[in-house]
Amino acid sequence: MRTSFVTSADGTRLRLAHWGDGARDVLVIHGLAEHAGRYEHVGGALAAAGLSATVVELRGHGHSGGKRGHVARWSDYIADVHAAVATLRPGWTLLAHSMGGLVALDAVRDGVLPSRLALSNPLLGVSVKLPGWKVRAAGLLSRLAPSLPMKNEIDPTALSRDPSVGAAYLADPLVFQTASPRWYTEMLAAMARVHAVPHWTVPMSVYLGDADRVTDPVAARGFAGRIGAKLTVFPDFRHEIFNEVGKEEPIGQAVAWLAEEAACATG
């Protein structure tokens, strides 16, 4: 893994992690509370397929600047994507997981145009069981205490059937267990914007675990069907399908689909 840094529009410093030196670039966007190191095996698989992978650590994540688990405006994430895209060569593709999928879709809606977009359990609905008081108070807290750290309610056992994944998640010093009220209300607004888009021109492939208890696989399946995306569902897979028992299959399928675009582009 190689690393570099770029600066987002408001001056926030973002870390990029890189694998491979192929002729085609793939940008990877992680989920909430994650960082690039959790995608080393994905970056390696992309590199082995002859691609160049770049993971952008969004603000508030990993070694990038910003408050953990907080964003003042969802558009700040979109600005981070623009900063990462500026380092890529034409014809780049995009792979995004969970919250990263919502960021990716909102960025495409905003004019970011990868040649292909692969989504892993994208955040198009919420399956995490949130306390009712949090849901009811979210709007008020977003205005009065927007950056207040609150438990994000993500259960590490919901990530994978492999218990070592949850254990490593809990032990990882770069992973956090919070999200702010403003993050939550901005996330809901971003979901509404994405679901309201009537037509998408970027080819998409959606990979879902039907036992996901973090994001809502039913909402994601409905989205994929409505827009005519290529859909693959993995029975019994939980939220992090690239860290699941049998992860080689979804990783292989996603990498092959992105590499297929590269092969087409190079003739």
Side-chain angles (χ1 to χ4, degrees), residues 151-165:
K151 185 173 174 59
N152 61 30
E153 310 296 343
I154 295 175
D155 177 1
T157 67
L159 303 180
S160 171
R161 291 166 295 173
D162 180 351
S164 70
V165 171

Side-chain angles (χ1 to χ4, degrees), residues 93-182:
T93 56
L94 181 53
L95 171 63
H97 170 67
S98 191
M99 180 193 84
L102 180 57
V103 171
L105 288 166
D106 206 26
V108 170
R109 185 199 60 81
D110 192 56
V112 172
L113 291 177
S115 57
R116 281 190 175 191
L117 171 55
L119 299 166
S120 159
N121 279 329
L123 178 53
L124 294 169
V126 177
S127 286
V128 172
K129 300 304 180 185
L130 300 174
W133 70 265
K134 277 189 178 181
V135 176
R136 292 190 296 272
L140 180 63
L141 289 172
S142 180
R143 294 191 299 273
L144 298 182
S147 63
L148 178 68
M150 303 183 75
K151 185 173 174 59
N152 61 30
E153 310 296 343
I154 295 175
D155 177 1
T157 67
L159 303 180
S160 171
R161 291 166 295 173
D162 180 351
S164 70
V165 171
Y169 184 88
L170 283 175
D172 192 331
L174 290 178
V175 168
F176 51 88
Q177 281 81 47
T178 60
S180 72
R182 179 63 58 81

Side-chain angles (χ1 to χ4, degrees), residues 187-234:
M187 177 270 293
L188 292 178
M191 280 201 302
R193 287 193 300 271
V194 165
H195 280 297
V197 175
H199 178 68
W200 299 82
T201 59
V202 172
M204 295 189 205
S205 188
V206 180
Y207 304 92
L208 302 179
D210 69 0
D212 187 359
R213 292 184 282 119
V214 179
T215 59
D216 184 355
V218 175
R221 188 194 291 257
F223 173 85
R226 179 172 62 81
I227 70 168
K230 180 178 182 288
L231 175 65
T232 307
V233 178
F234 296 93

